[in-house]
Amino acid sequence: MKIRIIILLITSACLTASAQQQYWQQQVDYTIDVSLNDKDHSLDGFVKMQYSNHSPDTLTFIWIHCWPNAYKNDRTAFSEQLLGNGRTDFYFSGKEEKGYLNHLDFRVDGIVAKTEDHPEYIDIVRIMLPHPLLPGGQITITTPFHVKLPHNFSRGGYTALPDGNTYQITQWYPKPAVYDRKGWHPIPYLDQGEFYSEYGNFDVRITVPQSFTVAATGELQNAPGLQESPPASIVTPLPVPAKKTHRPAPQYHHPIKKTIPVPAANRVSGIPARQAPQPQEQTKTLQYRQTRIHDFAWFADKHFHVDHDTLQLPSGRIIDIYGFYKPSSANIWKNSTRYIKDALSFRSALIGEYPFNVVTAAEINMGSPGGMEYPTITGITHCSTGRELDMTIEHEVGHNWFYAILGTNERRYPWMDEGINTYYDDRYETLKYKSSPTGLVIVPPGSSNKPDHANNDWLLLKMPSNQEELYVNTLAKEGRDQPISTSSEDFTATNYDLIAYTKTGLWMRRLQDSLGTPLFDSCMQHYFFDWQFRHPYPEDFRAEIEGTSHRQLPTLFSLLDKKGPVTPFRTHRPLKPTFLFSARNTDNFDYINLAPAIGFNKYDRFMVGALIHNYNLPPDPFQFIIAPLYATGSHQLNGIGRLSYSWFPSGAGHTAGSIAGSAVQKVELGLSGGRFSTLSGTDSNGNKLFGGFYKVVPSARLTFRNASPRSTQKDWVEWKTYLIGEKALDKYVLKTSDSSYYPTAGKYAFRYLNQLTLNIQDERVLYPYRALLQFQQAASFYRVNFTGNYFFNYEDGGGMDLRVFAAKFGYLGSRNANQDLTPFMPKLTAVRGSEDYTYSNYFFGRNEFDGFASQQVMMRDGDLKLRTDLFQGLQGRSDNWVASLNLETTLPPSILPGVIPLKIFLDAGTYAEAWQNNPPTSHFLYVGGLELSLFHDILRFYAPLIYSSDFRNQLKTVTEQNTFWKRLSFSIDIQNITFHRIFGNIPL
């Protein structure tokens, strides 16, 4: 055994040494001159790139990234990805808000180079070299360039503010794609998915109007006094866990912080901070240099306030630290340089010393919340608390290690950048903002930060210490997760955050636990030391970990390519009751949640009871919800309930290549039921009588899996059988004392309805649609229903919903004249509560024919939003076929502010009887008017204003009903409440 181990270690060491000897990478050195035009939001520049071919290959062309062209039109990879992630702002942006890169004239060693467009992406071109570039050779590539900056949709561009424009200049110059041992990597600009570029040295001269302050990558060369450091004094550093590695734990010396004015070369003397620039404003040129980096970014703003501090590293090097922020954020950013120092101290101690001489954090406007890292500088959007800013700075400054120094291919392997970085975020937060056993945040003495939810301790006690881990496990349980090794563009928007960041952090923690913290830290330090300023791949990372630790970890590293939780789920967990809910320790307990419940309808009156369920995260295969309710009006026990059992063939524990797993996302068997009163009366003795229903509904649904996880398609097929008992008030009897008729108590009558539903749906943000085909069969009839919806987006928000409906009704066997099938027949006008034959909608007055309760309807069938209770012949009811077209549109913001949810509707339809001889109505009926939608379309009011002459003429005969308020109707769609509808795109 010992001999085998020695051989294994020697082999591993030889392979690592061989890989290091064979390693090579290209180098690109940049000299750039660029000027900012504040009037038309543009850049004019000239770039000289010295390209060194260190590969063993002869190059005949070079791919060049021209990423500003990602903003050129709505057909770029960037635009398509934004739509896929639910954003339409760029797609509908105007020409003045888009951007591009042009005026390119590539020359190689002074010779004009031919260019070819990329076959798929307009933001990539290929320059054909006039002569082959041999191994070890070097060429100089030059070109002028002009950039029309876009509005800041994603990381970079301009933001027009009332007090002046602000600029975020990122991914702004043409630069070669990476050529490494795996070939060329020409990649389009994406919002989800970051970058991969060659290392080199940068010399950049930036010309801006005199009133702008600039924060940029690298060291400013022409600002007298900027690099001067105040005297140092020892300050207690951020504590770092003790460790035993080959590198001793350093101590840090923090010079006293000072706030300095903007350097002379970076400001204009005598001009007030908010004074508008003059038409012929003078300019200034700032020069920045930085070696061994692969990107360059800069931010320009007229109102930056600058804090400066320094940090002395154990090696004796002094690091200049800058915080650029708006005066309005001074209270939040006042400790920004301290946060930067804490981040540098923490990362330098655990991983390796920060190699650059400057680090900057700048408050900027960006197309998304959070921050974005670049070598030596990070841009951070508005933060509301000091702790939020601290953690954002720590994460973004931390990217100097896992992005700037370890230059992984972030587009292909985002986990090597974002995920490993998140792991260190978690260690930093645990160390600096320690948690008590109860999970409450303990604020370090003297800190200005306050714990989140300070006044909601009861809520914190119910939440897990790591909520995102709960979301990760939920995705895994439902089979909606993806492997950690997935590329950026292939992740769903949710998984990009929860898998690439969070799950990788959890995997890194498991790696730490497997090795032990001291050995783990030693491995990471070796990885940093061996691969700094290089392009490591996953196999390089694994070789470093296994080579340094002298351990083989195939099982652990195989998890990178698998779905499922990092830690396997426990199959048997003890039941534990809890009030309302609990998400804490869900890996140890199966919670039974208890909560009060109330209900109301006109017959049962107020109902009180309990809500009992086990809807937890992650979800159990078996789920139940029961709500028994005591009715104070009918004095009976009512309620609803549902049991279900779900399988996820493509989820955790299932083989992805299985037949079921390849076609079906979810299989669900269900059993639901309910009981309520639907009418009431008084018998001849003055006793209250109640009619009502009960139903039991077994069901089965198959939800199909999409070919791509990023697809927004939702297709399913469902079978339901409604087993319904209905009790009406029985035949009426005459009471001789008052000559009035009174009902008698009825008995339950049983019926059934089978229903098969096919649903095809795409919830894409642009032009979503849905097609639903439904087959229904009862003892004496059948119905076939088709409903199609298509939504047309408007550029300024909102849109028009087009609905098409058609139904076919028929009899099974001979028609029974004694059986009233009217409630089951399709119709054109609004459906009443008495016609809800599956009892699927909530009505608080299901059988009312006067008063406010009688004005409630449900949107089904033809959906003409007009009640015709008094005119049965005008309802467009048919025992043959019905068809309708419904339009609903929002109003332009220029007419009505978007905060007022008022819409216009127009409904039109026809039916079979309208085409017979002597039809009861015109061929076509229509209704139009206004709709007020509240609470995410859960409560809607309809005001018909125009309608067919058939309706108009009949309404004239009942003046007491023909008023604006009497014509109003409303719907309550409780059955449509979903978390997605209310909360939007939460991580679930």
Side-chain angles (χ1 to χ4, degrees):
M1 178 62 72
K2 290 183 179 179
I3 295 176
R4 291 178 61 188
I5 294 175
I6 292 173
I7 293 174
L8 184 63
L9 294 178
I10 293 174
T11 302
S12 175
C14 291
L15 290 175
T16 301
S18 175
Q20 294 293 333
Q21 291 172 359
Q22 296 174 3
Y23 180 83
W24 53 266
Q25 70 184 44
Q26 310 293 63
Q27 180 170 333
V28 184
D29 295 330
Y30 295 85
T31 301
I32 307 176
D33 286 272
V34 63
S35 61
L36 169 66
N37 187 323
D38 186 34
K39 293 182 179 179
D40 60 8
H41 315 305
S42 66
L43 304 175
D44 285 290
F46 187 88
V47 58
K48 180 175 72 172
M49 297 173 279
Q50 185 171 288
Y51 190 100
S52 300
N53 182 16
H54 298 307
S55 78
D57 307 315
T58 297
L59 303 181
T60 59
F61 65 87
I62 295 177
W63 287 109
I64 302 290
H65 290 146
C66 302
W67 282 337
N69 280 333
Y71 301 92
K72 190 172 184 178
N73 56 49
D74 58 19
R75 298 181 300 278
T76 65
F78 164 72
S79 178
E80 292 296 326
Q81 188 189 69
L82 285 190
L83 291 176
N85 286 350
R87 285 179 54 184
T88 61
D89 52 342
F90 176 76
Y91 182 86
F92 286 121
S93 63
K95 181 178 180 180
E96 69 284 354
E97 292 183 305
K98 290 185 166 64
Y100 52 81
L101 172 70
N102 62 11
H103 295 176
L104 296 174
D105 181 18
F106 287 105
R107 297 171 185 263
V108 177
D109 294 334
I111 303 173
V112 175
K114 179 183 176 182
T115 62
E116 296 179 354
D117 295 334
H118 190 279
E120 187 175 358
Y121 307 117
I122 68 172
D123 53 345
I124 305 173
V125 299
R126 176 165 58 184
I127 60 172
M128 309 306 296
L129 302 182
H131 47 79
L133 178 57
L134 301 177
Q138 187 178 87
I139 58 175
T140 299
I141 305 170
T142 62
T143 183
F145 63 93
H146 172 81
V147 178
K148 166 60 176 67
L149 294 169
H151 171 76
N152 199 328
F153 296 101
S154 171
R155 303 186 181 98
Y158 75 91
T159 304
L161 300 174
D163 54 356
N165 302 315
T166 176
Y167 294 92
Q168 304 81 44
I169 314 301
T170 64
Q171 310 306 336
W172 50 284
Y173 54 93
K175 57 182 174 181
V178 171
Y179 183 69
D180 62 16
R181 65 185 187 268
K182 298 192 177 186
W184 282 105
H185 298 274
I187 53 178
Y189 179 88
L190 295 177
D191 182 69
Q192 177 184 298
E194 295 178 8
F195 314 112
Y196 190 34
S197 302
E198 301 285 14
Y199 279 99
N201 304 317
F202 282 75
D203 186 347
V204 181
R205 292 173 177 83
I206 302 171
T207 300
V208 296
Q210 190 72 266
S211 59
F212 278 90
T213 300
V214 173
T217 293
E219 301 177 47
L220 182 59
Q221 303 296 303
N222 55 342
L226 183 61
Q227 304 301 326
E228 295 178 2
S229 302
S233 63
I234 297 177
V235 179
T236 304
L238 176 71
V240 176
K243 54 187 178 300
K244 297 178 181 179
T245 66
H246 64 287
R247 295 180 178 86
Q251 297 295 318
Y252 288 92
H253 299 275
H254 297 258
I256 299 174
K257 171 186 172 181
K258 68 175 182 178
T259 299
I260 63 170
V262 180
N266 210 357
R267 65 179 172 86
V268 56
S269 177
I271 294 182
R274 294 183 178 273
Q275 178 177 325
Q278 300 300 315
Q280 300 298 325
E281 186 178 3
Q282 294 183 347
T283 62
K284 60 187 175 186
T285 299
L286 308 171
Q287 183 180 15
Y288 294 86
R289 288 178 179 167
Q290 185 60 59
T291 60
R292 298 187 300 178
I293 59 173
H294 51 61
D295 205 352
F296 191 100
W298 54 283
F299 313 120
D301 195 293
K302 297 179 181 180
H303 310 302
F304 271 145
H305 180 83
V306 186
D307 283 356
H308 174 230
D309 204 343
T310 58
L311 171 67
Q312 183 176 345
L313 297 177
S315 63
R317 292 176 47 245
I318 301 295
I319 308 301
D320 279 297
I321 296 170
Y322 294 94
F324 287 70
Y325 55 89
K326 311 294 181 62
S328 59
S329 301
N331 187 52
I332 301 297
W333 276 73
K334 62 185 179 183
N335 295 320
S336 59
T337 55
R338 177 62 199 228
Y339 299 151
I340 297 172
K341 290 192 294 185
D342 285 348
L344 289 176
S345 301
F346 178 79
R347 298 284 181 129
S348 293
L350 283 186
I351 308 168
E353 186 171 282
Y354 182 74
F356 307 118
N357 294 328
V358 63
V359 62
T360 300
E363 183 185 26
I364 65 170
N365 297 86
M366 200 166 64
S368 59
M372 184 61 205
E373 72 281 357
Y374 303 93
T376 79
I377 191 172
T378 177
I380 295 175
T381 57
H382 175 75
C383 294
S384 56
T385 67
R387 178 174 177 177
E388 179 188 354
L389 178 62
D390 184 11
M391 292 306 303
T392 306
I393 284 178
E394 193 281 332
H395 177 85
E396 304 303 341
V397 168
H399 273 301
N400 279 285
W401 280 263
F402 301 102
Y403 158 75
I405 303 169
L406 293 166
T408 57
N409 184 344
E410 297 180 81
R411 182 67 58 85
R412 176 58 189 89
Y413 300 104
W415 70 270
M416 297 186 72
D417 168 68
E418 301 294 356
I420 296 178
N421 200 40
T422 298
Y423 161 79
Y424 283 100
D425 296 343
D426 294 339
R427 287 185 68 170
Y428 178 89
E429 186 173 27
T430 300
L431 185 64
K432 191 170 184 180
Y433 302 94
K434 295 181 179 179
S435 298
S436 70
T438 62
L440 302 180
V441 176
I442 298 177
V443 181
S447 172
S448 61
N449 300 314
K450 296 181 180 180
D452 297 335
H453 308 293
N455 298 321
N456 295 319
D457 292 353
W458 70 271
L459 179 62
L460 288 175
L461 288 171
K462 291 182 174 293
M463 298 303 296
S465 56
N466 188 340
Q467 296 181 34
E468 291 184 323
E469 180 178 358
L470 185 68
Y471 301 149
V472 169
N473 290 339
T474 298
L475 289 171
K477 199 69 172 285
E478 296 186 346
R480 294 187 292 126
D481 62 332
Q482 295 170 267
I484 291 175
S485 60
T486 302
S487 64
S488 297
E489 63 269 32
D490 291 335
F491 272 123
T492 66
T494 295
N495 284 342
Y496 182 70
D497 290 334
L498 292 181
I499 304 298
Y501 288 70
T502 304
K503 186 178 179 181
T504 305
L506 297 173
W507 180 85
M508 287 287 292
R509 181 57 185 264
R510 184 168 173 180
L511 179 60
Q512 174 194 340
D513 293 340
S514 177
L515 297 176
T517 302
L519 180 57
F520 172 85
D521 288 341
S522 178
C523 291
M524 292 303 295
Q525 290 162 3
H526 272 287
Y527 172 54
F528 173 81
F529 180 80
D530 290 339
W531 286 96
Q532 58 185 315
F533 309 113
R534 291 182 167 190
H535 299 306
Y537 274 89
E539 57 268 28
D540 303 315
F541 176 74
R542 178 177 178 177
E544 287 286 344
I545 298 298
E546 293 184 337
T548 303
S549 66
H550 305 302
R551 298 185 187 180
Q552 298 300 302
L553 303 168
T555 301
L556 191 57
F557 275 91
S558 70
L559 295 178
L560 296 172
D561 300 317
K562 295 180 179 180
K563 299 173 61 174
V566 173
T567 302
F569 294 119
R570 291 182 56 182
T571 55
H572 301 290
R573 294 168 295 157
L575 299 177
K576 184 176 182 179
T578 185
F579 181 67
L580 295 182
F581 77 97
S582 181
R584 182 177 290 275
N585 298 324
T586 55
D587 54 336
N588 295 322
F589 298 105
D590 190 358
Y591 288 104
I592 305 298
N593 305 283
L594 308 174
I598 60 173
F600 176 85
N601 66 45
K602 190 174 179 63
Y603 318 106
D604 293 310
R605 312 302 292 178
F606 280 102
M607 292 171 280
V608 295
L611 185 68
I612 308 168
H613 69 92
N614 73 334
Y615 279 72
N616 302 307
L617 296 179
D620 296 308
F622 174 72
Q623 292 182 309
F624 68 87
I625 180 169
I626 303 172
L629 298 167
Y630 175 75
T632 61
S634 61
H635 301 290
Q636 66 183 18
L637 185 64
N638 293 329
I640 59 174
R642 187 174 190 273
L643 312 176
S644 67
Y645 195 92
S646 300
W647 295 266
F648 298 93
S650 58
H654 293 266
T655 303
S658 67
I659 296 177
S662 63
V664 179
Q665 171 71 24
K666 180 180 180 181
V667 180
E668 181 181 35
L669 298 180
L671 180 66
S672 61
R675 177 191 179 188
F676 293 98
S677 298
T678 58
L679 70 166
S680 63
T682 305
D683 67 11
S684 59
N685 296 318
N687 298 318
K688 271 286 190 179
L689 301 178
F690 295 91
F693 78 94
Y694 69 81
K695 69 174 181 178
V696 177
V697 186
S699 64
R701 175 183 286 201
L702 297 180
T703 301
F704 298 104
R705 188 168 68 91
N706 296 316
S708 168
R710 285 186 57 82
S711 172
T712 51
Q713 193 85 10
K714 289 190 176 181
D715 301 339
W716 49 265
V717 58
E718 179 184 68
W719 174 270
K720 283 186 176 182
T721 295
Y722 292 88
L723 306 174
I724 298 175
E726 295 170 305
K727 182 171 67 172
L729 298 183
D730 215 335
K731 59 183 179 179
Y732 283 72
V733 297
L734 176 66
K735 184 177 181 181
T736 57
S737 59
D738 59 7
S739 300
S740 298
Y741 285 90
Y742 292 86
T744 60
K747 296 182 179 180
Y748 279 102
F750 175 80
R751 64 178 174 86
Y752 75 91
L753 179 80
N754 292 318
Q755 177 177 286
L756 177 65
T757 304
L758 306 176
N759 183 85
I760 298 175
Q761 181 177 358
D762 195 329
E763 294 183 336
R764 59 193 185 186
V765 68
L766 190 66
Y767 312 131
Y769 65 85
R770 181 183 186 185
L772 187 146
L773 182 63
Q774 194 172 76
F775 302 88
Q776 295 179 329
Q777 174 264 322
S780 55
F781 73 90
Y782 69 89
R783 267 187 67 159
V784 181
N785 306 306
F786 172 79
T787 305
N789 292 87
Y790 198 93
F791 187 81
F792 296 88
N793 304 75
Y794 294 156
E795 290 187 15
D796 53 0
M800 180 177 67
D801 184 58
L802 169 66
R803 177 181 182 266
V804 176
F805 173 80
K808 179 70 174 71
F809 184 89
Y811 297 96
L812 296 177
S814 60
R815 180 175 180 179
N816 186 350
N818 296 322
Q819 185 179 21
D820 182 16
L821 295 181
T822 300
F824 306 99
M825 297 177 185
K827 57 184 289 192
L828 289 181
T829 58
V831 175
R832 299 289 309 281
S834 59
E835 298 163 325
D836 179 17
Y837 52 84
T838 61
Y839 295 96
S840 299
N841 276 61
Y842 165 75
F843 282 84
F844 71 84
R846 189 175 288 271
N847 284 284
E848 298 303 300
F849 297 95
D850 57 26
F852 182 68
S854 69
Q855 295 177 254
Q856 184 179 354
V857 298
M858 62 181 288
M859 293 301 103
R860 198 192 71 191
D861 293 1
D863 201 13
L864 271 65
K865 301 172 183 64
L866 182 70
R867 292 178 297 111
T868 53
D869 310 334
L870 300 177
F871 314 109
Q872 293 296 319
L874 295 181
Q875 295 187 9
R877 193 186 303 274
S878 176
D879 64 353
N880 190 353
W881 60 265
V882 165
S884 69
L885 179 69
N886 312 99
L887 297 175
E888 180 183 278
T889 179
T890 58
L891 295 173
S894 58
I895 298 177
L896 189 71
V899 295
I900 302 177
L902 195 64
K903 302 177 183 179
I904 296 176
F905 70 84
L906 178 63
D907 309 317
T910 187
Y911 60 109
E913 286 74 2
W915 298 88
Q916 297 175 352
N917 294 329
N918 299 316
T921 66
S922 304
H923 289 332
F924 294 95
L925 300 175
Y926 67 87
V927 178
L930 298 176
E931 174 186 329
L932 181 66
S933 299
L934 304 174
F935 310 117
H936 298 275
D937 295 335
I938 296 171
L939 175 61
R940 291 181 280 192
F941 293 90
Y942 310 99
L945 301 178
I946 60 172
Y947 27 77
S948 300
S949 59
D950 301 76
F951 300 134
R952 185 170 58 251
N953 294 336
Q954 290 293 335
L955 284 171
K956 289 179 181 179
T957 67
V958 284
T959 55
E960 70 280 2
Q961 296 293 324
N962 191 20
T963 67
F964 176 81
W965 298 109
K966 291 288 186 178
R967 291 195 302 269
L968 282 179
S969 59
F970 68 94
S971 64
I972 302 175
D973 297 310
I974 291 179
Q975 77 282 357
N976 290 334
I977 295 178
T978 63
F979 285 107
H980 175 75
R981 180 184 290 265
I982 297 175
F983 298 107
N985 291 320
I986 61 174
L988 300 182

